Amino acid sequence: MIIETNNAKETFELGVQIGQKAKVGDVYTLIGDLGVGKTVFTQGMAKGLEIDEPISSPTFTIVQVYDGGRLPFYHFDVYRIGDVEEMEEIGYEDYIYGQGVSLIEWSNLIEEILPKKRQEISIEKDLEKGYDYRKITIMERE
Ligand code: ADP
Ligand code: MG
């Protein structure tokens, strides 16, 4: 599925819709260059999960846990990960195969440990279509 957005609000609203539909155990991976809108999308998803807490980028921790919503939300940012072993050290399986919804930014860096069943989301710019244009691709993998 491909969705095109032309401003940050539309990307946020797409995140809201996905957050509203998300079920226990769902894993979403999120890739895209810096400044493309990953945080905007993630904030929308949190709203869709009825989380009131502000979503920050987990810069120094690999995973940030939000417990206040409809379901626990596990927000991973693995941008600074050196080795997949760091995922083992934080006990990532308890999150990803647990009772909440996981979103993993920069998931391409930990490809080998991603669950087979996941929703892959990528956000891309296309400057020919305008500075605020984004192409968002959502692909279900089994
Ligand atoms: P990332 O987390 O991917 O580094 P951010 O979400 O922090 O990126 O920033 C995205 C920036 O791009 C924001 O300043 C946002 O307002 C802007 N923006 C412009 N158009 C869009 C769009 N269509 N979707 C998402 N963000 C957009
Ligand atoms: Mg970000």
Side-chain angles (χ1 to χ4, degrees):
M1 178 168 66
I2 292 175
I3 298 106
E4 297 174 297
T5 69
N6 289 291
N7 56 59
K9 181 155 193 299
E10 288 177 9
T11 299
F12 181 87
E13 289 303 331
L14 177 66
V16 173
Q17 284 176 26
I18 289 174
Q20 285 171 339
K21 282 191 296 187
K23 298 184 302 292
V24 168
D26 281 355
V27 176
Y28 296 84
T29 61
L30 182 56
I31 55 174
D33 295 339
L34 276 175
V36 85
K38 296 183 300 299
T39 296
V40 169
F41 177 88
T42 304
Q43 287 168 339
M45 223 176 125
K47 184 179 178 205
L49 284 162
E50 297 163 30
I51 292 160
D52 295 326
E53 243 182 289
I55 299 293
S56 54
S57 288
T59 310
F60 300 106
T61 50
I62 292 173
V63 63
Q64 197 87 39
V65 178
Y66 298 92
D67 273 322
R70 182 171 67 79
L71 292 171
F73 184 42
Y74 308 127
H75 179 205
F76 293 78
D77 185 335
V78 301
Y79 183 64
R80 285 179 182 76
I81 206 162
D83 194 279
V84 290
E85 259 176 45
E86 289 178 45
M87 290 293 283
E88 312 279 356
E89 282 161 20
I90 63 155
Y92 78 96
E93 288 175 307
D94 293 344
Y95 300 108
I96 287 182
Y97 300 103
Q99 295 303 304
V101 174
S102 299
L103 177 78
I104 311 170
E105 291 192 47
W106 298 97
S107 53
N108 49 303
L109 299 176
I110 55 160
E111 195 78 47
E112 56 264 57
I113 59 161
L114 292 175
K116 283 205 179 70
K117 186 170 166 53
R118 61 187 192 254
Q119 308 271 344
E120 289 186 341
I121 302 172
S122 76
I123 311 180
E124 294 163 275
K125 291 189 186 182
D126 182 347
L127 291 176
E128 283 180 14
K129 296 192 175 171
Y131 188 69
D132 291 346
Y133 170 89
R134 302 291 191 269
K135 179 176 143 193
I136 302 172
T137 307
I138 304 178
M139 215 167 66
E140 178 150 16
R141 305 255 300 213
E142 293 284 342

